[in-house]
């Protein structure tokens, strides 16, 4: 029987321990499907010795809508993990402001999420006060609706800073039965603080993932930004550049003024 330590897979492939003990090299999406179907097992020892493979596996998991929905549910049921993740993201956004675009872009560019985002902003007292004190914001929301902007984001939204992103139709978001085998893999990653931390870092770097996450848990994400004065200001400045978001704010204000 071949020794897994003696096996070298070509770049982009993962080493899987088959049920008969035979190691084999497969693509990341195939790796998960074989585990799901019971043809192989996740081996943390193998992966711990191959950090590049572990990173590829985690990226594949983060891009999978079904698996990440389950991960998000686990986060929502664990306030400590949720708080730690949001604190980590706040720290990262302070160091790298570009990361906030990965969060705000999907929210501001999707019509339904955009409306929920506006309501969340209105309910946040610190954000409400910051908006009232921001002269450019107050001036902008009372102007007529804007026309075309500099660039195009998701759903044709005009946005000069939004990253170009969309859900990858080739990602392994189908074909999983959410079997106990796959959930065992997810839980093993979950209880490993180092791997869990790495997955959360991959989340914020991936706008497509943040779109999935925003649909499930927008309020904790936005609150973590709006609770911080510096990030709150950064958020306002970014949204001022987002044509469709600002037009939604203007439309909302126009309806309010008409009612009064």
């Amino acid at each position: 029987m071949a020794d897994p330590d003696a096996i070298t897979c070509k770049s982009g492939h993962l080493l899987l321990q088959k049920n008969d003990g035979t190691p084999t090299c497969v693509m990341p999406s195939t790796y998960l499907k074989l585990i799901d179907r019971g043809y192989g097992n996740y081996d943390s020892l193998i992966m711990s010795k191959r950090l590049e493979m572990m990173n590829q596996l985690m990226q594949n998991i983060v891009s999978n809508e079904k698996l990440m929905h389950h991960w998000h549910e686990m986060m929502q049921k664990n306030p400590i993990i949720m708080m730690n993740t949001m604190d980590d993201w706040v720290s990262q956004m302070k160091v790298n402001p570009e990361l906030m675009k990965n969060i705000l872009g999907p929210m501001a560019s999707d019509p339904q999420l955009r409306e929920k985002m506006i309501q969340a902003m209105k309910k946040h007292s610190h954000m409400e006060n910051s908006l009232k004190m921001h002269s450019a914001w107050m001036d902008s929301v009372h102007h007529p609706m804007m026309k075309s902007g500099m660039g195009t984001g998701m759903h044709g939204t005009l946005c000069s800073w939004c990253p170009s992103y969309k859900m990858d139709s080739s990602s392994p978001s189908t074909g999983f039965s959410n079997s106990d085998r796959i959930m065992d893999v997810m839980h093993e990653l979950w209880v490993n603080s180092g791997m869990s931390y790495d997955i959360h870092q991959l989340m914020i770097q991936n706008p497509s993932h943040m779109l999935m996450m925003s649909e499930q848990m927008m309020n904790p994400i936005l609150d973590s930004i709006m609770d911080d004065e510096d990030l709150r200001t950064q958020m306002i400045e970014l949204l001022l550049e987002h044509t469709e978001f600002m037009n939604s704010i203007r439309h909302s204000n126009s309806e309010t003024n008409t009612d009064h």
Side-chain angles (χ1 to χ4, degrees):
M1 186 178 297
D3 180 3
D5 289 337
I7 301 295
T8 300
C9 297
K10 67 180 181 179
S11 179
H13 286 65
L14 307 183
L15 184 60
L16 175 69
Q17 189 86 17
K18 295 167 65 176
N19 284 339
D20 61 4
T22 305
T24 184
C25 298
V26 298
M27 293 293 291
S29 57
T30 303
Y31 181 96
L32 292 174
K33 289 178 181 177
L34 290 177
I35 291 175
D36 183 56
R37 296 169 186 172
Y39 298 141
N41 298 292
Y42 169 76
D43 190 317
S44 59
L45 184 59
I46 289 178
M47 284 299 178
S48 66
K49 297 178 180 179
R50 297 165 175 81
L51 297 182
E52 182 180 351
M53 286 187 184
M54 189 68 241
N55 185 60
Q56 289 175 335
L57 176 60
M58 288 191 292
Q59 288 186 21
N60 196 260
I61 289 174
V62 167
S63 70
N64 186 286
E65 186 172 0
K66 285 185 178 181
L67 298 185
M68 281 294 97
H69 182 83
H70 178 70
W71 189 276
H72 299 160
E73 286 184 336
M74 292 192 295
M75 286 185 69
Q76 289 173 294
K77 294 175 182 178
N78 191 318
I80 295 177
I81 294 291
M82 174 77 79
M83 180 182 67
N84 290 342
T85 301
M86 297 304 154
D87 287 345
D88 287 338
W89 286 0
V90 166
S91 299
Q92 289 186 64
M93 284 185 282
K94 286 177 174 287
V95 174
N96 181 8
E98 292 296 307
L99 291 175
M100 189 184 292
K101 296 178 181 181
N102 294 344
I103 295 177
L104 296 185
M107 292 184 187
S109 300
D110 182 279
Q112 292 183 337
L113 293 180
R114 186 163 62 236
E115 290 304 316
K116 293 180 181 179
M117 186 179 181
I118 292 171
Q119 295 306 313
M121 291 171 65
K122 289 180 178 179
K123 294 177 181 178
H124 194 282
S125 59
H126 293 308
M127 174 56 86
E128 184 181 26
N129 291 333
S130 294
L131 293 175
K132 290 178 179 179
M133 296 174 61
H134 198 291
S135 58
W137 180 275
M138 296 305 294
D139 183 55
S140 180
V141 296
H142 292 99
H143 280 178
M145 293 179 68
M146 292 186 290
K147 296 182 180 180
S148 61
M150 294 293 294
T152 304
M154 194 175 186
H155 306 306
T157 297
L158 300 165
C159 178
S160 60
W161 54 265
C162 291
S164 176
Y165 65 93
K166 61 182 178 180
M167 297 305 297
D168 184 359
S169 59
S170 65
S171 70
S173 59
T174 59
F176 289 98
S177 62
N178 277 337
S179 67
D180 290 341
R181 300 182 190 93
I182 286 292
M183 291 304 101
D184 285 344
V185 175
M186 295 293 288
H187 288 117
E188 188 162 347
L189 297 177
W190 176 263
V191 299
N192 184 309
S193 59
M195 291 181 182
S196 181
Y197 177 85
D198 289 341
I199 286 180
H200 291 148
Q201 306 322 300
L202 290 173
M203 288 179 180
I204 195 174
Q205 296 168 14
N206 186 333
S208 293
H209 175 84
M210 294 313 299
L211 173 62
M212 287 190 290
M213 194 170 184
S214 298
E215 291 174 343
Q216 194 169 351
M217 46 193 298
M218 174 187 287
N219 287 341
I221 299 173
L222 283 182
D223 285 345
S224 67
I225 295 175
M226 294 188 296
D227 286 345
D228 184 276
E229 183 177 359
D230 293 335
L231 295 184
R232 197 162 61 237
T233 300
Q234 182 185 339
M235 177 178 173
I236 294 172
E237 296 295 335
L238 283 175
L239 292 177
L240 279 168
E241 300 177 21
H242 195 289
T243 304
E244 288 301 317
F245 184 89
M246 295 309 299
N247 281 341
S248 295
I249 288 285
R250 292 184 181 91
H251 179 66
S252 176
N253 286 343
S254 175
E255 288 183 338
T256 300
N257 292 336
T258 300
D259 292 339
H260 292 286

